[in-house]
Amino acid sequence: MQKHGRSACTSVLVGKEASINGSVMIARNEDCKTAWPKKLAFYKKNSQPDQFKSKDNDFFLELPDESYAFNATPEWTDKYGVFLEDGFNEKKVAMSATESAYANSRVLGLDPFDEEHGILEEAMVSVVLPYVKTAKEGVKRLGKIVTNHGAAEANGILFADPKEAWYMEIGSGHHYVAMRIPDDSYAVVANQLSIQEIEFKSKDFITSPGLAKFIEDNKLWPKGKKVNWREIFGTHDDQDLHYNTPRVWVGQKILNPSIEQNPQSFDLPFIRQAEKPISADDVQTILGNHYENTPYDLVSKSGKASFRPIGIATTQESHVLEVSDKNLVHWLAMGVASQSVYIPFFPQGATTPIMFERGTDKYDPESAYWIFKAAGVLVDRSWKKYQPLLRKTQTATKIELAKIRRHYEQLGANDDQALADRANSELAQTAIDKYRDLISELISAQTADSPLMYRVDPDL
């Protein structure tokens, strides 16, 4: 689909009654390449163009005259598309797009993707987030685009506002379903079409026009039996067993440790209720997971390493979008989540911290992406030896960032753009300084790791 490869992400959605503080959370790792920088950007009200023309295919859309202010994380280059991916708008709507997925040949033979003209991941935030007032409006706007223009690929799209979270899946050229996440529940998604039974008459579901008729006319499901989206549109193959279902399994294992499940089960539920209230830290732990404390840990010498982990070297950025009536937090970690740190940015700002504007696909010590990436590369030389230094820095940084965030919240940064900009600058600089110190410490320590080391005779 995309000329530089499809995203291979992992997503988490949390309802407001399931969270520790009453917030709604949507979160995702954006995975593509090991050296493919992201940036942080803020867009002013009514700053969007009149039209959107994709650079990845021939998708074209006329846009409304008025647009809301919003923030996002664009690619370092728009050569293959803008890929804004995630952010908030001024109406407190959060969007994350997309969780790439796969549909089966049976449905695609009936309603194929329009790869030349249909909407792709790279366009979705650009043509939806600046124009909606609620999460549900976001679902409806994107759904209308898919109906009128077609889709070029299978995707999962996350929406949230202070009241609710919605998860939308595109399963063929013109068919989709969206489900409101129950307030007391969560979902973990990993590159599969995951929504299960559809309640067509429920206000908690939105479907493409004619979906029920499409299924019935083409005999895709037994008549009279409750329609199961995942079974009809999704895949059940070896790639799922090694690449996808184990990530859902470990995410659910973190939030429901007492439940025994098979990591290669096709029957893992889409919706679960956690055993305890879920914090942003819990979601971040899921996004950085590489099967720690299981037989499948990717960095353990004794691990089987047979399953694709959630936290992986190809992560460009990881985000948790946390929203409530009084507070918005754009938690953003550049690079690999388990080796980086989540900075709690105020999306109400208008100015990007300068190092978050920089970065190409070549190492740049003045780019925020590359600072966090460089630390991870150095730790990778000996994970066991240098992980304690990384963990120490992460803990110290998180504490400092929490103090700064709390200070500016008390000053009123949630309602003051200038204060939000000051806060974001200080948050960014604090994290970068801590990681620069870590890089210095790692390089100094690794001078002793040279293969040219030789035990010198003390008498010489």
Side-chain angles (χ1 to χ4, degrees):
M1 301 287 184
Q2 298 162 10
K3 296 179 178 67
H4 72 300
R6 300 188 72 198
S7 298
C9 312
T10 307
S11 298
V12 183
L13 304 95
V14 180
K16 61 184 178 181
E17 293 176 11
S19 69
I20 203 167
N21 60 0
S23 64
V24 178
M25 288 181 277
I26 57 173
R28 183 168 58 92
N29 283 353
E30 184 186 356
D31 303 335
C32 185
K33 292 184 177 182
T34 57
W36 202 252
K38 298 294 293 189
K39 299 180 180 182
L40 176 64
F42 294 87
Y43 302 89
K44 295 179 180 179
K45 187 179 181 72
N46 297 327
S47 64
Q48 296 307 292
D50 297 332
Q51 303 169 334
F52 183 92
K53 174 66 178 74
S54 175
K55 291 187 177 182
D56 205 3
N57 68 359
D58 291 327
F59 172 71
F60 173 85
L61 186 68
E62 296 283 353
L63 296 173
D65 293 334
E66 297 183 0
S67 64
Y68 300 123
F70 71 105
N71 78 312
T73 58
E75 301 274 76
W76 69 273
T77 175
D78 66 357
K79 181 179 180 181
Y80 307 112
V82 288
F83 293 93
L84 296 187
E85 294 297 308
D86 59 279
F88 286 92
N89 71 21
E90 65 178 279
K91 297 299 181 179
K92 298 184 179 180
V93 179
M95 180 179 178
S96 179
T98 71
E99 178 73 32
S100 295
Y102 299 88
N104 63 60
S105 57
R106 184 175 66 253
V107 296
L108 294 182
L110 299 166
D111 182 31
F113 291 121
D114 185 347
E115 297 184 16
E116 291 187 10
H117 304 96
I119 188 168
L120 285 156
E121 169 185 347
E122 63 100 6
M124 290 183 182
V125 169
S126 297
V127 302
V128 175
L129 185 59
Y131 309 103
V132 297
K133 296 179 181 179
T134 68
K136 193 170 185 178
E137 275 190 24
V139 171
K140 290 181 176 180
R141 176 170 172 80
L142 181 55
K144 186 176 180 180
I145 293 170
V146 172
T147 297
N148 293 339
H149 297 267
E153 58 192 353
N155 291 117
I157 306 93
L158 297 73
F159 295 93
D161 60 31
K163 294 182 178 180
E164 57 193 12
W166 282 80
Y167 186 62
M168 177 181 183
E169 293 188 326
I170 300 169
S172 68
H174 298 87
H175 286 296
Y176 60 86
V177 62
M179 178 180 176
R180 182 184 184 276
I181 304 301
D183 292 339
D184 62 355
S185 303
Y186 74 89
V188 178
V189 190
N191 297 132
Q192 295 170 294
L193 294 178
S194 298
I195 295 174
Q196 294 174 290
E197 291 184 345
I198 301 173
E199 298 283 353
F200 282 99
K201 295 182 180 180
S202 171
K203 63 181 180 180
D204 294 330
F205 285 85
I206 299 172
T207 66
S208 50
L211 176 60
K213 188 175 187 300
F214 173 78
I215 293 169
E216 183 177 350
D217 288 352
N218 292 289
K219 296 180 172 55
L220 296 174
W221 197 246
K223 191 173 182 179
K225 189 175 182 180
K226 188 167 286 187
V227 170
N228 189 308
W229 168 264
R230 181 196 293 180
E231 294 296 327
I232 297 168
F233 283 78
T235 55
H236 299 78
D237 54 31
D238 286 344
Q239 175 165 308
D240 289 315
L241 294 178
H242 291 275
Y243 198 83
N244 300 328
T245 63
R247 284 182 279 155
V248 178
W249 168 79
V250 78
Q252 294 187 358
K253 181 179 178 64
I254 290 169
L255 298 180
N256 289 90
S258 68
I259 296 177
E260 293 292 331
Q261 300 184 116
N262 183 340
Q264 293 187 300
S265 171
F266 284 125
D267 297 320
L268 297 175
F270 173 55
I271 298 295
R272 273 217 181 277
Q273 294 178 336
E275 293 177 16
K276 64 180 183 66
I278 302 169
S279 68
D281 279 346
D282 294 326
V283 177
Q284 292 164 17
T285 295
I286 293 172
L287 294 178
N289 183 268
H290 46 83
Y291 302 113
E292 299 97 310
N293 304 311
T294 78
Y296 316 109
D297 190 350
L298 196 65
V299 299
S300 169
K301 289 184 179 180
S302 60
K304 296 179 182 179
S306 56
F307 298 149
R308 192 273 206 199
I310 294 174
I312 197 167
T314 52
T315 301
Q316 298 170 265
E317 55 86 18
S318 180
H319 56 270
V320 181
L321 307 182
E322 184 176 5
V323 51
S324 65
D325 284 324
K326 297 182 179 180
N327 205 14
L328 306 180
V329 190
H330 189 150
W331 299 92
L332 180 61
M334 290 294 190
V336 182
S338 63
Q339 297 176 330
S340 186
V341 67
Y342 287 87
I343 302 175
F345 285 116
F346 288 86
Q348 299 91 335
T351 303
T352 304
I354 190 166
M355 290 183 68
F356 281 79
E357 293 181 324
R358 296 172 174 168
T360 70
D361 58 344
K362 304 299 181 185
Y363 172 72
D364 179 356
E366 298 302 316
S367 159
Y369 170 88
W370 280 111
I371 289 292
F372 295 105
K373 193 71 178 179
V377 170
L378 290 168
V379 170
D380 286 343
R381 290 198 66 189
S382 177
W383 184 280
K384 185 176 181 180
K385 183 176 181 180
Y386 296 117
Q387 189 185 40
L389 283 176
L390 172 65
R391 294 288 175 258
K392 180 181 176 182
T393 296
Q394 287 176 316
T395 299
T397 306
K398 287 173 68 175
I399 291 171
E400 287 303 310
L401 295 178
K403 290 178 181 178
I404 295 167
R405 173 79 198 194
R406 179 62 175 164
H407 172 68
Y408 278 98
E409 284 178 0
Q410 292 174 334
L411 290 178
N414 275 305
D415 301 306
D416 187 316
Q417 189 177 86
L419 277 175
D421 285 335
R422 277 174 49 193
N424 288 342
S425 178
E426 190 172 338
L427 288 163
Q429 194 61 53
T430 298
I432 287 168
D433 287 346
K434 292 284 187 183
Y435 265 69
R436 277 176 164 164
D437 289 344
L438 171 62
I439 289 169
S440 176
E441 194 169 358
L442 287 167
I443 291 174
S444 298
Q446 289 180 19
T447 60
D449 293 341
S450 171
L452 297 177
M453 287 292 288
Y454 188 81
R455 187 179 296 277
V456 179
D457 188 331
D459 293 328
L460 293 179

